[in-house]
Structures are given as C-alpha cells and as structure tokens.
Amino acid sequence: MPRAPSVLPGPAPASAAPVPPAPQPAEPLVPGAGRAPDPYPMDTPDQVLPPRTADGEAGTRPVPVPEGEVDELVEYLPRSAAAAACTAKAGPHQRRVERLLKLKVDGKQSRADCEAIRAFQVKQGIKPANGYAGPVTWSRAELLAARPNPNAARRCPVRSYVVACVDLDRELMWVQKGTRVTYAVVNIRSGRPGYRTRTGWHSVYWRNKDHWSTIYDTPMPFAQFFDGGQAFHGVYGQIATPVGSRGCVNLSYANAKKLWDVLRKGDRVYIWGKRPES
C-alpha cells in the first residue's frame, strides 16, 4: 500500500489572532517606610481542631506584652511606587477607596484621585502619603465610614443577646446587644484564600488569655475560640496587610485586650462576607 504523503505545517493564516502574552505576576507589596519585621509572625494558624490544653482560662506561658502600641500606619505598596510624591499607580483597593472618599469610581488612578487619597493619608498619619490605595489606606477609610453606624446595612442579626459581628467584606467587627453597640467597630484581619474564616453562626466556647499556637509556637494573646481552631486574638503590629490570617480573626493587641472584657463563654458570633482580594 503506498504511503500517504507527509503534510508539512504551513504558515499560519493571516487572519489568525495573535497569542496573548502570559500574565505577569503582580509586583509584591512591601511596607513603604521599610519597617523592621515584627518579632512574631503576624498571622497565626487555623488549627481546625480545638486547642490541646486542659487548664481552662489559666495560661501556663505568659505571652509577650508589647512595649507600646503601633503609633504610625505604614502603607504597603510596590517598591516601584515608593519614591513617587504622588503615584500614578492604581492600588489594589483603588475602587474601594474611591467609593469611600466619594471620588469617581472607575478603578483608575488620576491626578485628582492621587491628590485626594494623599490628602486623606496625610490627615490620618499614613506613611508614605503618596496617593497609593493600599490595604492600610482602605482599612482606615472603611473604619471611619463605619463608626457612626456599623450595622447600617443590617447584615448582622439584631438579637436580645450579645452578638459579635464580623464583616469580612469590610474587614471590620463590633459587638452589639439588640441595636446597642457594646464594643465599638474595629479593623480585623481574616483568613486568606485556602484558610478562609468560616461564616455563619458560632459560639465562644473556650478562652485563654495567654494562649500559644500548638503548631507554630506563636503567641495568640487574648484568644477566644469560636469554631474549631478559629479564634479572636491579638497580634503584634499592623492589622491591615496584603495577606490575611490562616483563619483566625486577628485584632490589634489593644483591641483584643478590650474584647476580652466584653465577650464571655457562650456568647454568639455571626460572620458573613468574604475578605477582598488585594
């Protein structure tokens, strides 16, 4: 049987669409003022199972007490944007910051946007103040907008008993009893992709003021567990960072200490939404 003639590939038709270039990884965000690293990891793990201890609320290993609270807000931004007096780069939270500052919401950085964001950063003491809409600028603007009435959208159920409300969409939490706020709204850091903070109804079932992670040997001060290994607890350093926790609801050390005196074992926790991607 005669062999079929071999067919050589010819040139691509002139009408063929060009192959799009492969997407380039986003430039990582770094602290704009070059802060020294924190002495302990800032995001602690979701241990999935309840913590392995039997000493109730008594701690067996005191967690470190910070020498002072974070006295300045340091924005995270690409190194290429750090030196600009007013950056032309749109930040990962551009649309959210535009909405909160009542600018045109288009996700594009304009000169007017940069000047308005920079003025907000100067007023709030955010460094560097160069108009970049990063996680620190967004979280501060979200907190200020929520303070008059954090439950204006009625996303957190109003009950006659205490409810700790955790809004992952805005990365905020507060405590209410009925319509009365008993713990003022604060910034939080929730779980990153793959370690999402679980939504729905939960209850505070175990508390340990001096808790240490049994996996990472990391302090978790004022830990109040509400679902498996997920807990409210304090961290050292800024709350607003490009990356989330490993499932826990992180608060500043000072805010976690205040929350310790507000919640009790058995109090209900309601969580909704999804942490925005940076």
Side-chain angles (χ1 to χ4, degrees), residues 185-203:
V185 62
V186 297
N187 292 120
I188 63 161
R189 180 173 58 232
S190 64
R192 67 182 72 174
Y195 298 89
R196 296 290 190 189
T197 302
R198 292 181 281 275
T199 56
W201 282 103
H202 311 283
S203 295

Side-chain angles (χ1 to χ4, degrees), residues 27-267:
E27 188 178 355
L29 302 186
V30 296
R35 287 179 57 196
D38 294 295
Y40 296 97
M42 293 177 64
D43 53 334
T44 48
D46 169 17
Q47 300 179 61
V48 182
L49 299 175
R52 297 190 296 271
T53 184
D55 59 355
E57 294 188 7
T60 57
R61 182 180 182 185
V63 300
V65 176
E67 295 181 1
E69 278 302 297
V70 177
D71 57 359
E72 63 179 4
L73 298 173
V74 179
E75 184 57 276
Y76 288 77
L77 66 166
R79 291 189 186 277
S80 59
C86 201
T87 181
K89 283 181 173 288
H93 298 284
Q94 186 75 27
R95 287 182 176 273
R96 301 180 187 99
V97 172
E98 288 170 345
R99 171 180 55 81
L100 291 162
L101 298 188
K102 296 179 171 52
L103 305 171
K104 179 183 178 182
V105 181
D106 58 8
K108 300 175 182 179
Q109 179 80 315
S110 67
R111 184 71 186 187
D113 287 343
C114 187
E115 292 292 351
I117 296 170
R118 185 176 182 277
F120 174 80
Q121 291 169 332
V122 169
K123 184 176 181 180
Q124 297 300 318
I126 299 171
K127 301 178 182 179
N130 68 351
Y132 188 77
V136 175
T137 301
W138 166 64
S139 67
R140 185 64 180 174
E142 203 74 81
L143 176 66
L144 295 178
R147 276 180 175 171
N149 183 7
N151 202 28
R154 306 283 289 183
R155 296 294 303 278
C156 191
V158 175
R159 298 289 187 266
S160 60
Y161 46 81
V162 169
V163 178
C165 306
V166 182
D167 183 345
L168 304 183
D169 294 329
R170 297 183 292 172
E171 290 288 83
L172 299 173
M173 79 147 295
W174 65 93
V175 180
Q176 62 187 35
K177 185 175 183 181
T179 59
R180 183 170 65 93
V181 174
T182 61
Y183 177 85
V185 62
V186 297
N187 292 120
I188 63 161
R189 180 173 58 232
S190 64
R192 67 182 72 174
Y195 298 89
R196 296 290 190 189
T197 302
R198 292 181 281 275
T199 56
W201 282 103
H202 311 283
S203 295
V204 175
Y205 73 89
W206 192 79
R207 304 186 339 135
N208 190 341
K209 187 181 293 185
D210 295 320
H211 189 67
W212 284 75
S213 162
T214 55
I215 295 178
Y216 284 68
D217 194 26
T218 299
M220 298 171 62
F222 304 102
Q224 303 192 67
F225 290 83
F226 55 79
D227 183 28
Q230 296 192 352
F232 299 112
H233 70 85
V235 295
Y236 305 87
Q238 290 188 154
I239 285 297
T241 58
V243 181
S245 74
R246 289 190 174 92
C248 289
V249 175
N250 298 161
L251 298 90
S252 71
Y253 184 93
N255 286 336
K257 183 177 181 180
K258 293 176 183 175
L259 185 63
W260 179 266
D261 293 328
V262 173
L263 294 182
R264 296 289 182 268
K265 184 176 179 180
D267 282 343

